[in-house]
Amino acid sequence: MEQWRRWIAENVLLGSAPEAIRAVLVQNGFDAAEAGREVDAALESPYVQGGSRVANRLRKREWALTVYGRLARMRAGSGVVERRERPSRDEFFEEYYAQNRPVVITGMLDAWPALGKWSLDYFRDRCGDREVEVQFGRESDANYEINGPAHKRVMPFREYLDLVEKAGRTNDFYMTANNGSRNRDALDVLWSDIDPIDEYLDGDARGKSFLWLGPAGTKTPYHHDLTNNFMAQVIGRKHVKLVPMHDTAYIYNTVHCYSEVDGSDVDDARFPKMRDAQVHECTLAPGELLFIPIGWWHYVEGLDTTATMSFTNFRRDNDFAENYTTYQHL
């Protein structure tokens, strides 16, 4: 019964009509009179009434974000991820970083040795015997990203590369940022193939960069990060869907920074509000750099075997996690 009372209180605070709450209770076996008493008790509870004031404040903030989103849609080019050839430092930070707007940057990685060298065979030759950490068993767990620590496995890099090469299309295994701490040292011989992006980054990427490596079909579900991020594509292509931070109300965020929505196949019946979210899409090719602004929800799918580097060491303030406290269920 306590679980149902929590459900009643939550729906009262969410603004559901009392008669609708009663109807659901009756559909789930409650006597109509009992359902009425429970809903009335919630409505009269000083705790719920106090919570209603907090809920009203949150609705005000949600309204403000909705207004901001509507205004953003009026901007020329809204809904499109811009592509820019080597914008200057000032242009990037003023037009995209400070304005919380994504952009695909071309030309900035042209001198990277990795673009000409990196391949599965090259990885085998350079560091195939190193022990790496990888995510495994993802396809058997709908919440594989949330449960990431449970999917970690250590194995020789050579064995993982063989799996990637023979896999075909799968999301069952993937080397991700969740494996970054171990792999950063294990694969250190590769970092000399990555030139600093001094125009935008502070030059010291160690500890703030991550290698993502997997077969075609790898997926990163809709989530937002607590930092601004660069995604630098080296091998293969990735398709990216992005939803602005101001559309958070439509993304069904119930745990920490994760969405319940499957970006590969949105269930409109289950998630009708997603129709109101403005989804920006782009395909990232080798040598291209995608700026993902903090708070923007993004879903990423590998179209080919892919290798990607991500960076967070920008030349501007990128420490936004200090006051973030909602790591729990929302």
Side-chain angles (χ1 to χ4, degrees):
M1 188 62 205
E2 291 306 308
Q3 183 175 352
W4 275 108
R5 285 174 175 155
R6 284 193 292 270
W7 179 86
I8 293 168
E10 179 180 357
N11 279 274
V12 168
L13 294 175
L14 288 172
S16 299
E19 56 271 20
I21 299 174
R22 294 188 192 100
V24 172
L25 292 173
V26 171
Q27 290 171 7
N28 283 272
F30 283 80
D31 175 78
E34 181 185 15
R37 286 194 298 270
E38 290 293 338
V39 173
D40 289 343
L43 292 170
E44 295 167 5
S45 166
Y47 300 111
V48 173
Q49 290 172 359
S52 294
R53 294 189 63 189
V54 175
N56 286 337
R57 294 171 197 157
L58 294 176
R59 288 191 188 98
K60 181 67 174 284
R61 296 178 188 181
E62 189 171 297
W63 171 83
L65 286 174
T66 301
V67 170
Y68 183 77
R70 289 176 61 184
L71 293 171
R73 284 169 169 77
M74 298 178 190
R75 182 180 175 277
S78 174
V80 176
V81 180
E82 291 185 33
R83 303 180 72 86
R84 292 285 302 274
E85 174 78 16
R86 301 175 66 91
S88 70
R89 180 180 300 173
D90 288 344
E91 287 173 329
F92 168 70
F93 282 108
E94 178 61 29
E95 297 178 26
Y96 302 101
Y97 197 91
Q99 294 190 36
N100 195 241
R101 294 171 52 214
V103 62
V104 173
I105 297 174
T106 60
M108 194 58 70
L109 310 182
D110 288 352
W112 273 21
L115 289 175
K117 291 182 176 181
W118 279 16
S119 68
L120 300 187
D121 285 337
Y122 180 78
F123 293 153
R124 287 188 186 95
D125 291 341
R126 293 285 285 159
C127 44
D129 295 329
R130 303 284 183 92
E131 294 278 314
V132 297
E133 185 179 275
V134 184
Q135 302 284 315
F136 265 88
R138 291 156 58 95
E139 291 191 341
S140 62
D141 181 0
N143 294 315
Y144 57 84
E145 193 72 16
I146 296 173
N147 300 328
H151 293 281
K152 292 182 178 181
R153 182 189 301 181
V154 176
M155 64 191 305
F157 194 27
R158 186 182 309 279
E159 290 184 14
Y160 178 64
L161 295 169
D162 291 344
L163 287 172
V164 171
E165 189 168 57
K166 299 173 183 176
R169 189 174 184 84
T170 182
N171 186 42
D172 200 47
F173 47 85
Y174 194 15
M175 180 184 290
T176 77
N178 287 328
N179 310 116
S181 297
R182 183 185 186 99
N183 294 340
R184 202 174 286 119
D185 292 331
L187 304 178
D188 58 356
V189 296
L190 299 177
W191 307 149
S192 60
D193 298 331
I194 301 296
D195 290 340
I197 311 175
D198 291 332
E199 189 70 11
Y200 315 126
L201 303 179
D202 68 9
D204 180 16
R206 287 192 63 82
K208 299 178 182 178
S209 61
F210 306 91
L211 173 64
W212 305 66
L213 176 65
T218 53
K219 300 176 183 179
T220 303
Y222 267 126
H223 70 288
H224 73 78
D225 294 314
L226 305 183
T227 58
N228 293 284
N229 286 272
F230 261 154
M231 179 188 296
Q233 197 61 23
V234 183
I235 297 174
R237 300 164 301 147
K238 282 184 171 176
H239 190 70
V240 185
K241 298 180 181 180
L242 303 109
V243 174
M245 177 165 51
H246 51 66
D247 282 354
T248 293
Y250 311 134
I251 200 76
Y252 295 87
N253 172 210
T254 56
V255 179
H256 182 18
C257 60
Y258 301 103
S259 168
E260 293 184 284
V261 177
D262 180 357
S264 65
D265 185 19
V266 178
D267 185 341
D268 290 334
R270 184 181 175 194
F271 304 113
K273 290 183 180 179
M274 270 297 289
R275 298 190 188 97
D276 296 322
Q278 187 178 48
V279 181
H280 303 58
E281 300 190 47
C282 65
T283 297
L284 204 61
E288 295 182 337
L289 188 63
L290 172 63
F291 172 61
I292 302 178
I294 184 171
W296 275 60
W297 298 87
H298 47 289
Y299 165 85
V300 185
E301 184 167 347
L303 302 180
D304 314 298
T305 294
T306 58
T308 309
M309 293 295 298
S310 59
F311 304 92
T312 61
N313 54 312
F314 290 93
R315 289 181 173 272
R316 299 290 188 272
D317 181 19
N318 200 23
D319 182 9
F320 297 97
E322 181 179 359
N323 297 319
Y324 182 87
T325 59
T326 51
Y327 292 94
Q328 66 279 1
H329 284 268
L330 303 174

